Amino acid sequence: MNVLVVGGGGREHAIAAAIAQSRKDPLIFAVMAKKNPGIARLCHDFLLEKETEVKKIVSYANNNNIDLAFIGPEAPLAVGLADALSDIGIGVVGPKKAVAKIEFDKAWARNFMRKHGIAGCPVFEVFNEREPMFDFIEKLGNVAIKPAGLTGGKGVKVMGDQLPTIKDAQEYASLLLESGSVVVEENLVGEEFTLQAFVDGDHLAFAPTVQDHKRAFENDLGPNTGGMGSYSDAGEILPFLCAEDVKQAKSIMEHTVKELYAETGVKYKGVLYGQFMITKNGPQIIEFNARFGDPEAMNVLPLLQTDIVDVMSAIVSGTLDKLDVRFNKLATVCKYAVPAGYPDNPSKDKEVSIGDVGDALVFYASVYEENNKIYTTGSRAIAVVGIADSISKAEKKAQEALDNIVGDLHFRRDIGTSSLIQKRIDHMKEIRGKS
Ligand code: AMP
Ligand code: GLY
């Protein structure tokens, strides 16, 4: 069995590591823009190429008799890589362009949710003109402003420390309007969580819920990043959620998959990522992504008990309901080491040395190797994952590992700590009105 992994980040390292554990003993191939040393070590062969070079990837897959492909990032999905690989008979985990649109066109996604009555869609409008947009921002009063296209999670700004006043929100929206449509929506108040599922077109197999930390600095301050770290609890429910919240979020995702087919006639096959805000009115949808989250993939994939190659085959054949997809009931804490100054003014080409990480997992992201040394590139560099029977034990493992990774690096010490978790719990109690 020949399996292709597309993408070269921490998420794809976690995907490749899960495939490498398969009892089917597959040969792993990869396509990545830059050589990720962690993925390269797991591969039989790899192609260094931009993940959006559809023709070159298809020909590489064809020449290497690829049976199954797992597409990690959103950019290749947005240019139809899943369609092109399926066209030559490869089983693809990663949705076709028509349905991956749920991620890469935020305006389309919101209109789709409204049209199909998907629960948990916030009040929003899409704008191409300034005046009505300014009026709507004033009317809503507390808004989130989003460019309609892909921005790597960094184009969204919400009112608060990022946009202190209505005028700031209007100015930012006006700036975004210069490069395309702008989505203005209500600023949802609550706690965020991520729910990811394998999807075979009809059935969903859910991973445990995860909480990511988008802001660059401790106490959730500073600019948005791709994600600085994330945690999950032993079991599928985060400490600030209740079973009903997760049940509702699952049902929203199931409904979404069904309606995506009704809207497009294309079955969604891959990973669906629901980013939710748990509010006093239950889970509200911040956005959907058409792939695993990065870092959230690194929380859930190491817990997957079921052989991932079986999961991939079931996604392709539409038989996920026949497979018992299980995750170990352990807590995980993932923390990213990022270059100092990330994301606005990151240092680059600085050596990173990895010391004793104990039994924490290490996933390489945007780093390169030269003469057996690892260097940063300016983006998120290396992630560590601690796994234990409680979040606080997992956090200690991750932090100890991180303390032995040396370089011109920054990380968030607070992710997964008991005091931060308690803050989340208290915040939700306050929101639900039980405090
Ligand atoms: P996104 O790129 O859509 O994931 O947005 C990045 C971050 O902006 C999210 O993780 C949220 O923290 C925040 N955000 C996006 N939309 C909203 C919203 N409607 N209300 C509150 N926060 C939001
Ligand atoms: N961690 C957020 C994302 O992957 O979009």
Side-chain angles (χ1 to χ4, degrees):
M1 166 93 65
N2 291 353
V3 181
L4 176 68
V5 177
V6 178
R11 163 185 50 213
E12 288 77 26
H13 188 183
I15 293 169
I19 296 170
Q21 303 250 310
S22 168
R23 288 173 289 274
K24 303 260 160 21
D25 230 4
L27 276 186
I28 303 178
F29 295 75
V31 179
M32 44 195 166
K34 288 194 191 123
K35 181 177 157 188
N36 175 316
I39 298 176
R41 255 169 241 157
L42 298 170
C43 277
H44 173 70
D45 186 62
F46 57 85
L47 170 71
L48 294 183
E49 188 56 75
K50 266 173 68 181
E51 292 111 4
T52 46
E53 287 288 341
V54 174
K55 278 195 182 139
K56 289 179 184 156
I57 299 171
V58 168
S59 121
Y60 178 75
N62 201 21
N63 293 340
N64 288 290
N65 299 315
I66 298 300
D67 300 293
L68 285 171
F70 203 127
I71 303 177
E74 59 276 23
L77 298 170
V79 295
L81 181 62
D83 309 57
L85 289 172
S86 308
D87 285 347
I88 61 160
I90 293 174
V92 184
V93 177
K96 292 185 175 173
K97 190 173 172 180
V99 282
K101 203 166 183 182
I102 190 124
E103 166 161 13
F104 68 76
D105 187 340
K106 288 187 200 289
W108 183 87
R110 282 296 188 220
N111 285 321
F112 159 82
M113 289 176 221
R114 180 151 65 194
K115 177 175 166 193
H116 292 269
I118 307 290
C121 178
V123 176
F124 77 96
E125 288 300 337
V126 180
F127 294 98
N128 294 300
E129 281 168 38
R130 245 170 75 114
E131 293 317 313
M133 180 173 78
F134 277 26
D135 292 347
F136 188 69
I137 292 174
E138 269 198 54
K139 191 177 116 199
L140 274 189
N142 189 7
V143 293
I145 309 278
K146 312 184 165 186
L150 280 182
T151 56
K154 288 164 218 158
V156 177
K157 287 195 180 179
V158 297
M159 286 186 69
D161 66 312
Q162 293 176 332
L163 301 169
T165 67
I166 296 265
K167 192 155 178 289
D168 296 311
Q170 288 171 329
E171 271 167 22
Y172 184 61
S174 175
L175 181 78
L176 291 182
L177 209 53
E178 287 169 21
S179 27
S181 306
V182 176
V183 183
V184 177
E185 57 193 42
E186 60 178 311
N187 186 6
L188 300 165
V189 180
E191 281 294 328
E192 278 180 59
F193 69 97
T194 301
L195 180 59
Q196 304 168 103
F198 292 112
V199 187
D200 71 357
D202 296 303
H203 316 100
L204 288 82
F206 292 96
T209 50
V210 182
Q211 187 174 45
D212 185 19
H213 297 71
K214 283 260 160 87
R215 300 299 192 91
F217 309 128
E218 279 162 23
N219 296 314
D220 298 318
L221 295 175
N224 275 334
T225 68
M228 293 294 293
S230 45
Y231 66 92
S232 65
D233 206 349
E236 64 170 359
I237 303 172
L238 287 162
F240 57 85
L241 294 176
C242 53
E244 182 58 27
D245 301 330
V246 178
K247 195 174 147 209
Q248 284 179 23
K250 285 182 176 176
S251 130
I252 288 172
M253 286 175 60
E254 280 160 350
H255 187 205
T256 300
V257 167
K258 197 165 153 236
E259 297 301 332
L260 275 172
Y261 180 61
E263 177 68 24
T264 64
V266 175
K267 293 227 164 163
Y268 188 104
K269 285 173 181 280
V271 173
L272 183 64
Y273 168 119
Q275 190 179 357
F276 294 94
M277 185 77 82
I278 186 73
T279 69
K280 65 176 187 317
N281 303 319
Q284 302 278 303
I285 306 158
I286 292 177
E287 68 171 355
F288 287 113
N289 291 326
R291 50 164 178 89
F292 268 126
D294 186 344
E296 294 97 320
M298 296 183 277
N299 296 92
V300 302
L301 282 172
L303 300 181
L304 182 64
Q305 282 177 309
T306 314
D307 193 312
I308 194 166
V309 170
D310 290 338
V311 176
M312 292 173 70
S313 302
I315 289 173
V316 173
S317 59
T319 53
L320 213 43
D321 58 326
K322 308 274 189 315
L323 191 68
D324 186 16
V325 181
R326 280 180 196 234
F327 292 85
N328 279 317
K329 289 193 166 46
L330 289 169
T332 64
V333 173
C334 174
K335 299 197 192 202
Y336 253 120
V338 305
Y342 171 84
D344 292 337
N345 194 16
S347 71
K348 290 185 178 125
D349 306 312
K350 299 281 199 252
E351 192 185 334
V352 177
S353 74
I354 303 177
D356 180 10
V357 296
D359 69 356
L361 307 176
V362 174
F363 294 111
Y364 292 84
S366 290
V367 288
Y368 63 95
E369 199 169 26
E370 228 169 67
N371 301 323
N372 289 322
K373 290 183 175 161
I374 302 281
Y375 296 89
T376 57
T377 66
S379 212
R380 292 180 295 177
I382 290 181
V384 295
V385 180
I387 303 179
D389 57 13
S390 70
I391 297 173
S392 82
K393 283 189 208 156
E395 190 278 330
K396 283 188 185 73
K397 287 186 180 187
Q399 191 55 53
E400 275 167 27
L402 216 45
D403 287 336
N404 287 319
I405 296 182
V406 180
D408 190 25
L409 298 168
H410 158 73
F411 47 79
R412 275 184 62 168
R413 219 166 251 285
D414 60 344
I415 294 170
T417 56
S418 303
S419 62
L420 194 63
I421 307 279
Q422 193 56 48
K423 264 197 217 165
R424 308 291 192 220
I425 295 171
D426 293 344
H427 185 210
M428 271 329 293
K429 270 195 191 147
E430 189 191 321
I431 285 176
R432 294 185 211 260
K434 287 188 203 150
S435 56

